Structures are given as structure tokens and as C-alpha cells.
Amino acid sequence: RSNSISDANARNRQQSDNGGVQPRYHSTFTKHYVAPALPKIELQTPPRSGIVPTNSTFDNKDIISPSVLKNNEEECLTFICGELPVTYTNDAKTIKQWLTEHLFDQECPTNHGFLGVDVESVPNAEWIRPKNPCMANRPATIQLSSAHAALVIHLTSPQNSQIIPTLASLLQDDLILKVGVGIDDDMLELYRWDNRLNCSSRFDIGGIGSTAKRNRIGLQKLAKALVGVEIPKTKRISRSDWSQVPLSEAQLIYAARDAWAGAAVMNNIHRMYRQMHIDVIAVMVMEKERPMIDVDVRARKRR
């Protein structure tokens, strides 16, 4: 489904004089994909006897919002039940253009914007031999998404010298809420790799619906509860080699939908519940969040 490619040819650098192989670098590229629509959740009420048939899709462990399911059944919005445009790039100009077009594309006018944010790294596992060793033990991609479109950024050298200032400006912008489950962990990974990526205005939606302070609701359950769709999750893709350039279409769809889910949850909350207006949440986050340097220190102490 790739429609346009600026330049996606990878280039191997020549071996050094001592015979060692230098890391592979990649020229600037931009690709466009379309992630297929997600299946809607249909809640089946359990029988009065309390016994759930084995062929029933009802799961009393899931958190389901009847109002969300009803809205989707009557008139499912395009951003929920439609396809998702995905831009895949390592080009700073493309990133800036995407942000200009999609950063404030939510329906209701607000003082703050929001983006779903997620990070993928090469797993530190014996069975993974990264195709690009220079990307081992560091973030390989960062995904940004509005409710209507997603951007997958591959952190390939030497394009990072143009990408990082653009990302740093976005992440440090207090007027843009960065949304995700366990977002502090993702942003800490970026910060430790390059301390210019010092993220503020982080909103961990994993706390929504949690009954205990340290518990977090998973992204799949939140998408079911507050968006009414099923997001497929497979360990085969999540633990794949994120250093390879280009990524496979399955990897891109997986990465894009993870970031999209955060934005879609935030969009529905903002749209359906006045007490959780984006501006109210943004002010609450700014009052209570710790700077990344403190998050880093506390994480090291816990280890």
C-alpha cells in the first residue's frame, strides 16, 4: 500500500581501514500507507443464570462503556471505524509539514492540542540480531498520532541531526499534551538517549478507570472501553527488529495504531465528558508532573 516514496534506498558505508564494518546509514525517505479499519466491539449481555456460553464474546473482566458502543452502533465516526493514514519518514521537513496539518485537527476549539505518543526500540534479547547495530539499546522509532492520522518517525543517522531539534521543540511544548499508557517510561527512554528530548505535558491515560494508585489499565482495554474497537496485539511484531529500514507494513500498522489509540481515547474523553475537557486536563498535568530529570533519578533509585 505504499503510494509515494521520496527515496528509500539504504546505503552501506564502506569498511574502515582496519577491516571493521561501519554502521549502515540511510538516505532520507517518506512513505505513505493506510492502516485498515479496526473491528468494532459488540457487547453481548450474559444470560440471567450467570453462566456465559463458551461461544459468547462477553468478558466480565473488560471495562466497556455502553454509551460508546451505542454511539458506534448508531453512527460510528470515521476516525474510529475508518482507515488510518500513516506517514513513515526520517525527513525533518515531512515531520514539520505533518505537524502543521494534524496537530490541531480535533473537532472542538481548545487552548491545548494533544497527540498520542509511543516509542519502539530494538529488544535487548539474544535472539535479536539488529540489521542496524548502531540502533541497538536505543529508541528506533517514535510514533505521533492525532485521532485522524499517524506519523512513524525512524531515528536513522545522520538524519537525526535535523530530526531531533524538531522533536525536542514539540516535546518541550507545554501547550501540546502527549498522551499514552506508561508514557513516562517511553519518554524516559528518549531522554536517556538524548537529553534534548526533554518531554513535558505528559498524560498517562493508563490511570483512567484504575482503582489503585499504582495500577494501570492496558491500551487494549482502554481502546475497548472508551473507543469501542479492538486493537490487535502480537508479541511477534512487538518483539521484532525495529532497526530494519524500511519497516514492514505490519510493523508500521502496529506502531501507528499504538500511538493512535492514545489520541483516540483522549479525543473521545474530551468530546463526551465536559469535566475532562482537554484544557482542564492539561492544567492538571502541568501542576503535578515531575520534570524528566526527576523521573530519571527516581527510576534509577527504584532499580
Side-chain angles (χ1 to χ4, degrees):
R1 294 187 178 183
S2 177
N3 297 326
S4 63
I5 303 176
S6 299
D7 182 3
N9 296 323
R11 296 179 300 178
N12 291 331
R13 300 193 72 182
Q14 294 181 349
Q15 293 186 352
S16 61
D17 294 338
N18 61 6
V21 177
Q22 296 294 323
R24 293 192 302 174
Y25 294 132
H26 300 273
S27 55
T28 301
F29 63 83
T30 296
K31 299 182 179 183
H32 299 284
Y33 292 81
V34 177
L38 297 171
K40 290 193 299 183
I41 300 297
E42 295 182 2
L43 180 62
Q44 296 183 7
T45 307
R48 292 183 179 181
S49 63
I51 300 174
V52 182
T54 55
N55 61 350
S56 173
T57 59
F58 180 82
D59 182 359
N60 60 7
K61 293 182 181 180
D62 281 337
I63 305 167
I64 301 295
S65 168
S67 60
V68 168
L69 299 185
K70 182 179 178 181
N71 286 344
N72 287 354
E73 188 65 30
E74 293 176 351
E75 185 183 4
C76 192
L77 299 176
T78 302
F79 86 88
I80 295 176
C81 295
E83 297 176 327
L84 177 70
V86 179
T87 301
Y88 173 44
T89 189
N90 68 346
D91 178 38
K93 292 182 180 179
T94 302
I95 296 170
K96 291 177 182 178
Q97 181 181 352
W98 188 94
L99 291 173
T100 300
E101 294 175 357
H102 298 289
L103 191 52
F104 285 92
D105 67 358
Q106 53 260 29
E107 293 84 356
C108 305
T110 61
N111 295 323
H112 297 81
F114 63 88
L115 288 173
V117 182
D118 192 37
V119 172
E120 299 294 346
S121 301
V122 180
N124 186 13
E126 294 180 358
W127 64 86
I128 292 289
R129 294 183 179 179
K131 291 187 177 180
N132 290 272
C134 60
M135 293 187 198
N137 301 317
R138 73 160 175 85
T141 70
I142 177 171
Q143 299 87 257
L144 308 173
S145 185
S146 71
H148 307 282
L151 176 69
V152 179
I153 303 168
H154 218 143
L155 301 173
T156 57
S157 299
Q159 281 72 29
N160 292 345
S161 60
Q162 283 78 43
I163 290 175
I164 289 176
T166 301
L167 285 177
S169 178
L170 171 70
L171 295 177
Q172 294 171 19
D173 191 339
D174 291 335
L175 294 179
I176 308 301
L177 206 62
K178 296 84 183 178
V179 181
V181 171
I183 191 166
D184 273 9
D185 294 335
D186 284 340
M187 295 304 99
L188 182 56
E189 195 168 3
L190 285 175
Y191 176 73
R192 286 176 173 175
W193 175 57
D194 191 315
N195 59 17
R196 289 174 293 176
L197 302 177
N198 186 8
C199 185
S200 61
S201 293
R202 310 178 305 274
F203 182 43
D204 191 343
I205 56 175
I208 297 173
S210 176
T211 56
K213 185 176 181 180
R214 293 184 179 275
N215 286 353
R216 288 292 180 268
I217 306 297
L219 193 61
Q220 274 184 309
K221 286 191 174 183
L222 279 173
K224 282 184 178 182
L226 296 172
V227 187
V229 293
E230 181 81 50
I231 296 183
K233 286 279 192 178
T234 65
K235 290 183 179 180
R236 180 181 62 84
I237 297 178
S238 66
R239 296 178 180 178
S240 60
D241 183 5
W242 294 95
S243 77
Q244 66 177 356
V245 180
L247 294 173
S248 69
E249 185 173 346
Q251 285 177 307
L252 287 169
I253 292 172
Y254 176 97
R257 281 296 186 185
D258 266 7
W260 171 85
V265 167
M266 190 71 249
N267 193 72
N268 261 13
I269 289 173
H270 166 75
R271 187 169 55 88
M272 298 176 68
Y273 307 104
R274 291 184 179 179
Q275 66 272 29
M276 296 189 75
H277 189 278
I278 180 65
D279 291 333
V280 174
I281 294 175
V283 171
M284 176 192 71
V285 168
M286 290 177 61
E287 290 176 348
K288 296 185 177 183
E289 81 172 354
R290 294 184 176 90
M292 288 307 305
I293 189 170
D294 288 354
V295 174
D296 188 13
V297 170
R298 290 168 66 90
R300 294 181 190 277
K301 286 182 177 180
R302 284 197 300 271
R303 288 195 65 181

